[in-house]
Structures are given as C-alpha cells and as structure tokens.
Amino acid sequence: MSQKIFLTSALAMGFVAPAIAEPSHTDSFPNDGYMQEDYTYTNAATADNMDSVYEGTVNAVAEYDIIDYIVNAGQYLPADSETVITCPAGSFCPGISGNVQYNQTTPQGIQTCPTGYANSADGASSDTQCYRACDINNMGTSFTNIAHATAVSGNDYYGAGTDTCEPTACVNGWHLKQGLNLTSTIGTGRGENSAFVNNSGLFIESASNGQSYYGISDNNTWAVDYGSSKGVLVGQGRCSTQAGDNNSYTWTNPTITSNLTDETGQTGAQYCYCNVTGYKDGSGNMQAVLSPWVFYTDFHDAWNCSGSCASYCASNVQYTGSTNLAFRAAMFGAIESGPAMCEANVININWSDASAADISANNAGTATYGEDVRTPVKAATKKGQTFRGWRFSAPEQTNLP
C-alpha cells in the first residue's frame, strides 16, 4: 500500500519568505524630532514621538533646508546645477552680492559680452574685459596710438578696458618702433657709471660725463649709464613714512605702490622707495617712463634715508650681485611695457655748396618725415652766378648683384 507523505515546510511548498532588511544605524529617538536616513530608533514608536498618535496612521513629513551658494566675481551658477563654476569665454560674471539658491531653468551671475565685443577670457568679471580684435579699418578714438599704421594687432576692450592695440607695419615715411621693455633692453649687465643728486642738491657721479649727460637735477634723483648700446636710465628715490617689505632683500613679493604722498625730510620718513622716470637710448633720445614706487629698505632714521636713498636706488640697478639683480628685476617687472608705435623716419640731407658750419648752425643736416626742413645759413657764392635755391633729388640707386 502506498504511503502519502505531506511536506509541511514553506520550502517544500515552493514558497520562500523575503529577507527583511535592517537599517544600517541604531540610535535613540532624536531630541529635535528629525529622523535621519537608514536608522533604527529603539523603542521610539510612542505617542510622545509620533505627535500624540496612538493608533491608525501617522505622517512622516520630509523637511529640507535650502542650500545657499556663494558666487564670486568671475564665477556663476548654471541652471539646474549645484556647482559654481568659472565664467566661460564670451561672457562676464561680476559676482552676486549675498547668497544664491538653486534654479532649475535660469543661470545666475552670468552676462553676455556687449554687442561687437563678443570675446573674453575664462573668468572675466567685468564687461571691460570683453574685447574685439583691433582693426585698422575701424579706428575709433581709442586707437590713437596706432596712427600711421597699415596693420595692427592686439585687442580693443569694451568701455574703459585697457586696449592692447599696436601697429605691426607703418605707412611710407614711418617705421615701426617697438615698445620699451627695460628687462630685455637693459638686461642684467653691469652699468658703466652712475650719478645721483642728494637731498641737498649736490650732484655726485662715478665718472666725469657732466650733469647734462645724465639729465638729472632735482634732489633725490638718480641715473645709471649702461653704455652706448644700452642707454641711460633715470629715476627717483623717496623716503616715506609708509613701511614696506623687501622679503629679506629677495624682492619676491615686495611692496609696490603708485602713491607716496609724504616726501623726504618728514619725521619718520625712513622707508626708502625707488622708481624709474625716464630712459635715454643710445642715440640720446629721452622718453618718459611711468613707474610705480618699489620698496628698497628701512634706513631706521629719516636723516639717513634722505641722504642715501637715491644713491642706493642707483647702485642697486647698476651692479650685478644677486641682491642687486633681484632688486633690478623687481623694478623692471613693475613697469608695463609700452606698445609699439609708428615713428617718423629721420632723413639725412646732403646739402651741396654749403659749409658744414652753415649746415650745423641751423641744424639742417636732418629732417624728420612730415616735419620741418631747415636750410643752411647760406649757400656758397659763385662768380657770375646767382643762387636760385636748393632742390631735392633722390640719390641714384646702386644695383647690387
């Protein structure tokens, strides 16, 4: 006789109960009532914790705090984003005062560059950092530095932005003159001679070239002559009550300022600063240099500073010790290189039938293109002839093989 066997276990009946997951954390019920994710709150199911609910249903309402974002200048918060990022090229981001919240559809803190000035670098924070390429055919009042140019380079910045337009080629009669860069023009070579005027107006020099050669006369001015191929640098020393830092005579991040209101001689004016005011090239042409003040040292006494500051300014851009070159690099590095420009050609004039003395007396040996032509004092007298005048004639060109 067959025997029936009954399987009574759930497994035998083909049914498996699902595993019950347990939260990762266990704690007592929080005092502030805010229950966190993935927790078991031990013995917490009481009316005291469940807003006086003893039976039926109780609602567990999720609450959130709004996140505030800080958007600095040069950054913005994109739409549907929780991350503040750098302002992209072609835009400017002035920053937002106060806190910013998430917005699904609208970017915050970013503006498009003005019409016609569609370019900008990443991280631009103002519309004055938006630009267009300089164009010789669209010369506005901001392009006065490229007069007589036939081609230009650089950028024209919107509004009060500082333009970098400069010529790359000039019309006939003019030549391209590169902007002054003292770092490359003078370099790190030793100055041949130097001079300074102390606080009493006494001119002191290391070679007898004469005060007019150096072009300085005011108290606390200085000059360094780097030789005929390098030129002469002139500047000022000033003692101030404003303390400064020279980074232990390394000038890695020195105090640099455009304004020193107090002058040598004031009580407490013991801090020596130097600047550059001009450069005379090897041909004797002097050009102004706009330079900030760079801190040199603390003389600890106003009297010592007033008598020595200009001298130390000169010696530290003349000599080539490691400390001297560090100071020179800081001085030159603080000066912005000027733009290139179109400079008129200087034309030599060969006057026939005129003595060298008569040509020199009227400074008639040269003429600057587009400017005056000066003639000699007189022409040679020739028997049986009446002087009619000089006429220009281009010299014959020699054909080279």
Side-chain angles (χ1 to χ4, degrees):
M1 180 177 70
S2 64
Q3 184 177 6
K4 295 182 179 179
I5 300 174
F6 295 92
L7 301 177
T8 58
S9 71
L11 178 61
M13 296 175 67
F15 173 77
V16 179
I20 299 175
E22 292 291 335
S24 302
H25 310 283
T26 301
D27 202 351
S28 57
F29 195 77
N31 292 331
D32 61 6
Y34 286 106
M35 296 174 287
Q36 301 303 308
E37 301 165 308
D38 201 23
Y39 264 79
T40 293
Y41 291 107
T42 306
N43 301 323
T46 67
D48 288 341
N49 295 332
M50 293 184 171
D51 200 24
S52 300
V53 174
Y54 288 87
E55 60 182 336
T57 302
V58 65
N59 297 321
V61 180
E63 296 183 13
Y64 295 85
D65 289 325
I66 300 297
I67 299 174
D68 290 325
Y69 300 93
I70 297 175
V71 180
N72 295 316
Q75 299 178 320
Y76 82 109
L77 182 63
D80 195 26
S81 174
E82 297 178 279
T83 303
V84 175
I85 64 174
T86 300
C87 195
S91 304
F92 67 97
C93 302
I96 300 176
S97 177
N99 296 321
V100 180
Q101 285 81 44
Y102 167 87
N103 189 297
Q104 185 176 10
T105 59
T106 304
Q108 299 174 82
I110 185 170
Q111 299 183 46
T112 302
C113 278
T115 301
Y117 294 81
N119 305 301
S120 70
D122 291 346
S125 59
S126 168
D127 59 2
T128 58
Q129 293 173 274
C130 298
Y131 65 89
R132 62 183 179 180
C134 300
D135 184 351
I136 194 67
N137 297 314
N138 189 21
M139 291 173 59
T141 56
S142 61
F143 294 161
T144 54
N145 62 319
I146 57 174
H148 311 291
T150 57
V152 295
S153 65
N155 297 323
D156 168 28
Y157 285 84
Y158 180 77
T162 302
D163 296 337
T164 58
C165 303
E166 60 180 356
T168 56
C170 303
V171 298
N172 290 337
W174 302 74
H175 64 274
L176 186 67
K177 181 180 180 181
Q178 296 296 336
L180 177 63
N181 184 322
L182 294 177
T183 300
S184 59
T185 300
I186 292 178
T188 57
R190 185 182 186 279
E192 294 183 358
N193 301 297
S194 64
F196 70 95
V197 182
N198 68 12
N199 60 311
S200 300
L202 178 64
F203 178 77
I204 302 170
E205 59 183 321
S206 59
S208 300
N209 289 340
Q211 191 164 1
S212 61
Y213 174 81
Y214 289 96
I216 58 173
S217 58
D218 294 337
N219 290 8
N220 301 303
T221 53
W222 57 267
V224 175
D225 181 6
Y226 295 93
S228 59
S229 63
K230 297 288 187 179
V232 176
L233 199 65
V234 298
Q236 299 170 298
R238 179 174 291 182
C239 295
S240 173
T241 58
Q242 178 178 325
D245 189 357
N246 59 18
N247 315 117
S248 300
Y249 294 94
T250 63
W251 290 278
T252 52
N253 185 29
T255 302
I256 298 176
T257 180
S258 298
N259 297 301
L260 283 178
T261 55
D262 42 14
E263 295 279 357
T264 297
Q266 291 190 8
T267 301
Q270 64 197 50
Y271 302 100
C272 175
Y273 289 79
C274 309
N275 75 352
V276 177
T277 58
Y279 169 72
K280 181 166 65 174
D281 63 24
S283 300
N285 300 312
M286 177 68 79
Q287 64 183 98
V289 176
L290 184 61
S291 162
W293 296 97
V294 178
F295 178 71
Y296 171 63
T297 195
D298 176 7
F299 278 98
H300 303 288
D301 179 88
W303 186 84
N304 288 332
C305 185
S306 63
S308 304
C309 185
S311 171
Y312 277 81
C313 292
S315 62
N316 276 278
V317 293
Q318 177 183 6
Y319 299 116
T320 57
S322 59
T323 300
N324 307 134
L325 290 179
F327 180 72
R328 186 191 300 193
M331 286 283 289
F332 291 177
I335 302 170
E336 292 187 7
S337 299
M341 61 182 297
C342 290
E343 183 177 64
N345 295 338
V346 176
I347 301 172
N348 297 314
I349 304 176
N350 295 320
W351 298 98
S352 65
D353 295 309
S355 69
D358 286 338
I359 294 171
S360 177
N362 281 356
N363 195 22
T366 62
T368 301
Y369 192 85
E371 298 183 10
D372 298 339
V373 173
R374 297 172 297 274
T375 63
V377 174
K378 63 180 182 296
T381 300
K382 295 186 176 183
K383 292 182 178 180
Q385 300 182 39
T386 300
F387 176 67
R388 180 183 293 182
W390 289 282
R391 297 182 67 182
F392 284 124
S393 174
E396 294 183 2
Q397 299 296 320
T398 302
N399 294 322
L400 299 177

